[in-house]
Amino acid sequence: VQLQASGGGLVQAGNSLRLSCVASRGSLSNYVVGWFRQAPGKEREFVAAISRNGVERSYSDSVKGRFTISRDNAKDTVYLEMNSLKPEETAVYYCAATFRSRRWSVTSSMNEYSYWGQGTLVTVSS
């Protein structure tokens, strides 16, 4: 499966942005999908993940309550709705996927993700 992330851009602090991750060359419904981000000079970190059936979701503590991950398997698309954005959340956001046979499985471990999109830049101005 190939992943294409989009939706990044420049936004003022406190505002919202929605990222999309679209799959091609395969059905995303067989994969757990996660969002990760990498700020300048920092390591890539986990943001959110969603199970195949969309029921189980996992968030990093830093985004819990502000970000929402969702998916539309009919469109092979996963979304990340980001609210109340902060300047320190300026980063390249990546979507990633890993195959799972269990529909309720979810993982935040970067090493478990096999497929990665190219990333989309989010810049939050103060």
Side-chain angles (χ1 to χ4, degrees):
V1 65
Q2 290 187 341
L3 304 175
Q4 177 80 31
S6 62
L10 175 63
V11 63
Q12 286 191 330
N15 285 352
S16 301
L17 206 59
R18 188 176 81 159
L19 306 182
S20 298
C21 177
V22 180
S24 59
R25 298 189 180 184
S27 173
L28 204 56
S29 63
N30 294 321
Y31 297 84
V32 171
V33 177
W35 285 96
F36 297 81
R37 64 188 179 190
Q38 187 165 18
K42 295 189 176 181
E43 293 185 352
R44 193 171 299 187
E45 64 175 1
F46 169 75
V47 176
I50 189 166
S51 62
R52 286 178 51 194
N53 60 5
V55 173
E56 295 298 323
R57 308 178 192 196
S58 176
Y59 297 95
S60 67
D61 288 343
S62 62
V63 307
K64 202 171 294 184
R66 297 186 298 117
F67 288 16
T68 301
I69 189 171
S70 62
R71 67 190 299 160
D72 185 341
N73 284 339
K75 296 182 179 180
D76 285 325
T77 303
V78 171
Y79 305 98
L80 184 68
E81 183 75 32
M82 305 184 295
N83 298 319
S84 302
L85 281 161
K86 305 174 183 179
E88 55 266 35
E89 294 180 310
T90 292
V92 176
Y93 283 72
Y94 299 89
C95 62
T98 182
F99 176 81
R100 284 290 187 273
S101 57
R102 294 176 59 189
R103 296 176 63 208
W104 288 268
S105 176
V106 67
T107 179
S108 61
S109 175
M110 198 180 321
N111 293 334
E112 296 188 33
Y113 286 85
S114 304
Y115 305 95
W116 291 81
Q118 86 292 354
T120 184
L121 177 62
V122 173
T123 303
V124 185
S125 63
S126 57

